[in-house]
Amino acid sequence: LAPLKQPWRSPGEPQAPFSLPAPRWPVECEVIQETIEHIEWAPPKPEPFCPPMGPEQALCTLGEDQGTVVYHSSPVLQGSCFTCARVGGAPGPLSSPAAPLEGPQDTTLLFESRFESGNLQKAIKAGPYEYVLMLRPDLYTAKHTQWFYFRVQNTRQEPLYRFTIANMAKPKSLYGQGLRPLFYSQQDAQSHGIGWRRVGTDVSYYRGGAGEPPLFRLSWTVRFPHDGDTCFFAAGYPYTYSDLGRYLRALAADPARSRYCTVQALCHSLAGNTVPLLTITGPGGTAGKRAVVLSARVHPGESGSSWAMRGFLDFLLSPHEDAQLLRRLFVFKVVPMLNPDGVVVGNSRCSLAGRDPNRAYGKALPGSFPGVWHLQAMVQRELAEREVVLYCDFHGHSRKNNVFMYGCDGSGDGTGTRLRQRVFPLMLSKNAPDKFSFSSCKFQVQKSKERTGRVSMQRLGVSHSYTLEVAFSGSTLGGRSSHFSVEDLESLGRLLCDTLLDFCDPEPTKLQQCLVEADALLQRRMGRGPGSGGSWSEVSPSELESSTSGSDSSVSDG
């Protein structure tokens, strides 16, 4: 159970090519043989939010118990917990969860979700072109229904289809503020090079009934672009474990980028999937350098965090002069996919332990939460050798627009420390004024968040520890009111690099300006006049900010 170690390899020294093996699935999960891949594409212009419908406008939809079940895929759980895994999932022939078509005139859609990161448990045909859908809860739990990703075939171009996901878990969602689902047409991809795009009209999000616990409904209407097409819907831009494997293989095959990057296994997950660790630094090894630690995808349904992480890695490993300076100054330890099992099976929040790994820091056992345990152990080893100047854990947020951060503010901290905690997010807001909202940042540590990554790293001794939250939707800043594209998400990684250079600049002008501005913002929040002075060390964190919703897990996290 000791952390996996590997001797430091000097830059330029050959290394054995690293590659992630094929994903391993719990043996009760059926997996189709087809490989699901999508092209990358940037929309020619920003995709605007749609006018949301209120609950009173939502079209009347039949319930789950009415209509005809046309797809039902539910793994037969062998007991209440994970037992074992294998490549390809369940052995033997696959079942047929989709109802067979009665002939060429049958317009019933054919659903499928038994592929990597897929999530759809049941589809009910409630009308000629209307379907009620049920998501599969996170494996070995009965909750956390949010992420969806499924395929439909046998489409017709003319009709207006309506889909309703009837078991969403959260009372509030950005779907009620203009967020639209993602859609992918295989014919459009092959013929026109068009990839994932936002679709849907009459999008509504509302409570579905009086039951307990309450469930919520997401409904949208759409027209398919072609007859007989193969299409996909998803909650976010999918980024699978296999996508990460392809990225790491390309990195290992690139002689320029691989000079600065060593890839090794941090550990293996419960299912035996590799949790990769990237060590990135410039010539001269690690002596005398400070460390920066980043992680992503502890919550598998927050796929935007993987695209932001890819943008960070692309920039840091580029020949750009700022990237060269960062590699010269720091040792970067990067865990791009902390919960690969959850990503593979299409969970929203949990690992195969049936729990949220981002509530397991400090108490995690390596046999139950190996990624969290080994990440924490790795940071402890780094702290024994050097200062870790920054930890940042990349997440996604389903209820608030824009990009923002959560930090760690203790009431016992001195004024300088508390202001400095706010400087990095404030700098990032200046570097990304059309994406990052400093006013949405929170620094109070609620009791329910004490086992999160950022709080645990701060208590280990990391001087600046944050959660980076990227909205599932997009930005309302800088004149925007539009969804984030993949390019937007990747740009966050570059902007984080820019901010790190500003934050650690030996010329203190920018830092001092931001300290003064952070102090003025707090004075204004407390109702004090500008320049009134006074210490912040005796003011409680709750007084410094309103107790609005914190991280995305406060709802439905038991």
Side-chain angles (χ1 to χ4, degrees), residues 102-124:
E102 295 180 356
Q105 303 308 311
D106 190 343
T107 60
T108 302
L109 291 176
L110 297 172
F111 291 84
E112 182 59 87
S113 65
R114 296 172 298 168
F115 49 80
E116 200 175 344
S117 292
N119 190 316
L120 177 69
Q121 183 167 292
K122 186 189 291 187
I124 299 144

Side-chain angles (χ1 to χ4, degrees), residues 539-554:
V539 181
S540 72
S542 59
E543 289 180 86
L544 292 179
E545 57 193 45
S546 59
S547 56
T548 55
S549 60
S551 81
D552 205 26
S553 59
S554 54

Side-chain angles (χ1 to χ4, degrees), residues 218-557:
L218 165 63
S219 295
W220 72 94
T221 58
V222 66
R223 275 193 171 88
F224 291 107
H226 307 285
D227 289 335
D229 200 357
T230 294
C231 300
F232 296 82
F233 289 98
Y237 297 102
Y239 193 97
T240 65
Y241 181 71
S242 293
D243 288 330
L244 177 61
R246 282 186 283 272
Y247 183 86
L248 294 180
R249 281 195 297 275
L251 176 59
D254 184 335
R257 294 191 299 165
S258 60
R259 287 176 56 211
Y260 312 118
C261 180
T262 301
V263 186
Q264 64 193 99
L266 175 71
C267 63
H268 291 89
S269 67
L270 292 185
N273 291 308
T274 303
V275 179
L277 168 66
L278 285 66
T279 302
I280 301 168
T281 195
T286 63
K289 295 181 179 180
R290 293 184 289 176
V292 174
V293 180
L294 296 100
S295 59
R297 217 59 189 280
V298 69
H299 292 150
E302 298 167 6
S303 61
S305 66
S306 283
W307 293 102
M309 180 61 80
R310 195 178 84 162
F312 174 84
L313 292 172
D314 281 347
F315 182 80
L316 185 60
L317 292 167
S318 75
H320 193 284
E321 61 181 3
D322 285 351
Q324 294 182 48
L325 178 57
L326 285 165
R327 296 193 298 264
R328 198 158 59 243
L329 291 174
F330 300 104
V331 179
F332 292 88
K333 296 284 188 177
V334 181
V335 183
M337 191 170 284
L338 200 50
N339 182 3
D341 293 350
V343 173
V344 167
V345 302
N347 278 0
S348 290
R349 294 193 69 80
C350 297
S351 68
L352 296 184
R355 295 287 186 273
D356 181 348
N358 202 38
R359 296 295 181 276
Y361 285 87
K363 65 177 180 181
L365 297 174
S368 299
F369 300 96
V372 161
W373 191 87
H374 285 279
L375 173 62
Q376 196 163 295
M378 182 269 289
V379 171
Q380 286 176 307
R381 292 199 305 274
E382 286 297 307
L383 285 165
E385 297 178 12
R386 69 189 85 252
E387 179 189 358
V388 178
V389 69
L390 177 76
Y391 171 71
C392 188
D393 191 19
F394 291 28
H395 283 252
H397 207 284
S398 70
R399 293 178 289 131
K400 291 169 69 174
N401 283 308
N402 307 311
V403 183
F404 49 94
M405 280 180 152
Y406 295 125
C408 301
D409 189 354
S411 55
D413 293 335
T415 297
T417 301
R418 299 183 80 176
L419 290 177
R420 197 176 172 94
Q421 288 294 327
R422 289 160 169 78
V423 167
F424 190 90
L426 184 57
M427 286 181 164
L428 186 51
S429 73
K430 295 179 182 300
N431 288 331
D434 64 337
K435 300 181 184 70
F436 191 95
S437 169
F438 181 72
S439 63
S440 295
C441 296
K442 302 289 181 186
F443 300 88
Q444 181 182 359
V445 177
Q446 299 167 334
K447 187 170 181 60
S448 62
K449 308 301 187 294
E450 291 181 350
R451 299 288 188 180
T452 61
R454 81 172 189 276
V455 177
S456 294
M457 299 303 176
Q458 188 253 356
R459 290 177 177 175
L460 285 178
V462 177
S463 49
H464 297 88
S465 187
Y466 302 99
T467 301
L468 178 73
E469 295 279 1
V470 183
F472 286 14
S473 53
S475 172
T476 60
L477 304 172
R480 288 186 58 162
S481 184
S482 58
H483 295 85
F484 286 139
S485 66
V486 165
E487 286 186 342
D488 285 323
L489 298 173
E490 290 182 320
S491 73
L492 293 171
R494 173 182 57 79
L495 294 165
L496 196 78
C497 289
D498 291 344
T499 305
L500 183 58
L501 282 177
D502 291 339
F503 186 67
C504 296
D505 191 340
E507 163 52 50
T509 303
K510 288 182 181 178
L511 179 65
Q512 292 300 328
Q513 288 175 343
C514 286
L515 285 170
V516 170
E517 185 174 342
D519 182 68
L521 288 169
L522 291 181
Q523 300 279 11
R524 196 178 312 146
R525 180 166 289 179
M526 294 294 294
R528 300 178 183 175
S532 58
S535 169
W536 297 113
S537 57
E538 301 305 320
V539 181
S540 72
S542 59
E543 289 180 86
L544 292 179
E545 57 193 45
S546 59
S547 56
T548 55
S549 60
S551 81
D552 205 26
S553 59
S554 54
V555 179
S556 86
D557 185 53

